[in-house]
């Protein structure tokens, strides 16, 4: 008799491994990432790896009215490029930096981050590479990788593929929240450069490069200085370090993170209803990858600006009397920028000149 009172059928019983889930591989993956998680530990972390929940005690000193700011996001079909290239240590940084920027635009700095990694069959070395990238992103942004979840779901994902999501919590004093209400007619739009597509527009980019043009990640089409895989896997930048000082000095009226929807759909998220953002095309240098995508795909200019960031990853709204100080700050931290437009009377839209 077995422990549950049933008779032994004298044949091998079904196992989780037979069903496609390898607990031993998961244990090996967790062993590999333990050091990565520990490297992100900050003073507020109270629980170690393996606890059922992460615990964090924030330092609220100096904040009159502390407000938690939370966000979650994924990497999208940029993962398809990572699979094709066999490179897995950059998408984790993409994930963290995207989430950091999403709360930065409200004035918040990150406290901690959690990740979700789901795959058909767990490969410990791939899991370790992804989490190493996440941990590196957390260290660079000064936040703790507080925990996460790894799910092995055979039959749900294609072999060799995985999905990735991240969750971030940050902190801002209520009086320092950026919500667009301070934007005024005559303010100047300053654009900070992206490193490439960041984490948006990859469904169109993959269709153009791989389906329409018939290329692969190792090809280097005319006009692109690096192979397609390298161009598309350029990491999503974090703007926390370059903007932290400017926020502390009160030099910024509003920020727009240029993600899905490009300049056309993201800048209006911070505009009052009676104001437009007048953006001047040609006022910044568009990186080669966007010019090549436009040419190979025959994409209309308006579509390009609504799908891709076009080389601008963050838009800063600056009062005219603070512009010189803001640009001096950027020069001090060696951050290039471009004046890309102004705030004008309107209806809460982006208009191009």
């Amino acid at each position: 008799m077995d422990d549950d009172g049933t008779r032994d059928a004298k044949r091998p019983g079904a196992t989780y491994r037979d069903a496609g889930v390898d607990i031993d591989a998961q244990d090996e993956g967790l062993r590999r990432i333990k050091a990565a998680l520990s490297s992100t530990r900050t003073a507020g972390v109270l629980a170690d790896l393996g606890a059922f929940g992460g615990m964090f005690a924030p330092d609220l000193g100096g904040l009159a009215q502390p407000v938690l700011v939370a966000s979650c996001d994924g990497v999208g079909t940029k993962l398809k490029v990572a699979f094709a290239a066999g490179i897995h240590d950059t998408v984790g940084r993409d994930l963290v930096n995207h989430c950091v920027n999403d709360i930065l635009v409200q004035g918040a700095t990150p406290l901690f981050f959690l990740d979700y990694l789901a795959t058909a069959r767990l490969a410990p070395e791939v899991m370790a590479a992804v989490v190493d990238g996440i941990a590196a992103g957390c260290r660079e942004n000064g936040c703790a990788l507080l925990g996460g979840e790894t799910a092995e779901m055979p039959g749900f994902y294609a072999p060799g593929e995985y999905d990735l999501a991240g969750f971030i919590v940050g902190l801002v004093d209520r009086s320092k929240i950026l919500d667009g209400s301070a934007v005024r007619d005559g303010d100047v739009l300053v654009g900070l450069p992206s490193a490439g597509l960041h984490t948006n527009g990859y469904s169109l980019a993959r269709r153009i490069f791989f389906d329409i043009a018939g290329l692969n990640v190792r090809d280097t089409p005319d006009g692109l200085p690096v192979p397609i895989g390298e161009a598309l896997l350029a990491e999503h930048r974090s703007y926390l370090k370059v903007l932290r000082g400017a926020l502390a000095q009160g030099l910024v009226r509003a920020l727009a993170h240029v993600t899905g929807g490009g300049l056309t759909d993201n800048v209006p998220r911070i505009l009052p209803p009676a104001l437009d953002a007048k953006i001047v095309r040609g006022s910044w240098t568009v990186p080669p990858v966007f010019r090549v995508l436009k040419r190979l795909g025959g994409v209309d200019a308006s579509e390009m600006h609504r799908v891709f960031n076009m080389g601008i990853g963050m838009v800063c709204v600056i009062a005219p009397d603070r512009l010189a100080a803001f640009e001096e700050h950027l020069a001090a931290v060696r951050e290039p920028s471009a004046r890309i437009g102004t705030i004008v009377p309107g209806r809460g839209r982006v208009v191009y000149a």
Side-chain angles (χ1 to χ4, degrees):
M1 289 285 186
D2 290 338
D3 290 343
D4 62 0
T6 60
R7 291 187 177 276
D8 188 345
K10 301 300 183 184
R11 56 185 171 82
T15 67
Y16 216 3
R17 187 191 296 267
D18 296 334
V21 179
D22 190 342
I23 298 175
D24 291 334
Q26 187 174 61
D27 288 343
E28 172 60 16
L30 290 173
R31 185 192 67 79
R32 293 189 182 202
I33 68 174
K34 189 173 183 179
L37 266 70
S38 297
S39 71
T40 72
R41 190 180 182 97
T42 62
V45 178
L46 301 181
D48 292 323
L49 177 66
F52 284 96
M55 294 187 289
F56 193 92
D59 179 4
L60 304 180
L63 299 178
Q65 291 182 286
V67 175
L68 293 176
V69 183
S71 185
C72 66
D73 219 306
V75 181
T77 62
K78 186 174 187 175
L79 292 174
K80 287 281 192 180
V81 183
F83 305 152
I87 296 172
H88 305 283
D89 59 351
T90 60
V91 290
R93 269 195 178 94
D94 291 326
L95 183 65
V96 175
N97 290 343
H98 187 137
C99 290
V100 166
N101 291 338
D102 276 351
I103 65 170
L104 174 65
V105 297
Q106 293 172 290
T109 54
L111 294 174
F112 58 83
F113 188 86
L114 298 102
D115 68 275
Y116 175 77
L117 173 63
T119 185
R121 184 178 293 275
L122 186 66
E125 66 280 4
V126 173
M127 176 183 176
V130 172
V131 177
D132 279 347
I134 294 172
C138 286
R139 288 193 303 271
E140 291 159 7
N141 287 286
C143 65
L145 180 52
L146 198 59
E149 167 69 3
T150 303
E152 193 171 13
M153 296 187 285
F156 195 83
Y157 293 99
E161 297 191 355
Y162 54 85
D163 198 9
L164 194 59
F167 311 84
I168 196 166
V169 174
L171 192 64
V172 62
D173 203 337
R174 189 164 187 166
S175 65
K176 300 293 180 65
I177 291 175
L178 301 179
D179 59 7
S181 61
V183 176
R184 298 289 182 268
D185 181 16
D187 286 347
V188 180
L189 304 176
V190 177
L192 305 186
S194 68
L197 276 66
H198 281 185
T199 51
N200 297 99
Y202 280 83
S203 294
L204 179 56
R206 289 187 304 107
R207 174 167 170 71
I208 292 170
F209 278 136
F210 307 139
D211 297 337
I212 295 176
L215 303 170
N216 63 57
V217 292
R218 292 172 294 280
D219 289 330
T220 307
D222 289 344
L224 198 63
V226 297
I228 290 170
E230 184 177 340
L232 293 184
L233 289 177
E235 293 175 12
H236 195 133
R237 291 190 61 201
S238 167
Y239 297 93
L240 175 62
K241 288 184 178 178
V242 299
L243 289 175
R244 191 198 305 264
L247 293 175
Q249 296 175 59
L251 300 178
V252 179
R253 279 190 165 163
L255 294 170
H257 184 199
V258 187
T259 57
L263 290 162
T264 303
D265 288 349
N266 282 287
V267 176
R269 298 166 72 176
I270 59 168
L271 293 178
L275 294 175
D276 282 349
K278 183 178 180 180
I279 294 178
V280 180
R281 289 192 177 114
S283 57
W284 71 94
T285 301
V286 175
V289 65
F290 300 108
R291 298 198 298 270
V292 174
L293 282 167
K294 186 178 189 305
R295 173 172 57 83
L296 292 179
V299 186
D300 183 78
S302 62
E303 181 75 358
M304 290 293 296
H305 281 80
R306 194 172 186 186
V307 175
F308 302 113
N309 64 56
M310 299 303 291
I312 299 295
M314 185 70 75
V315 175
C316 311
V317 182
I318 311 297
D321 62 351
R322 298 294 184 93
L323 183 59
F326 180 68
E327 290 180 333
E328 286 174 9
H329 165 80
L330 293 180
V333 297
R334 298 183 179 180
E335 174 66 19
S337 65
R339 299 182 189 181
I340 66 171
T342 54
I343 299 297
V344 298
R347 294 182 292 165
R349 307 166 303 164
V350 164
V351 292
Y352 292 100

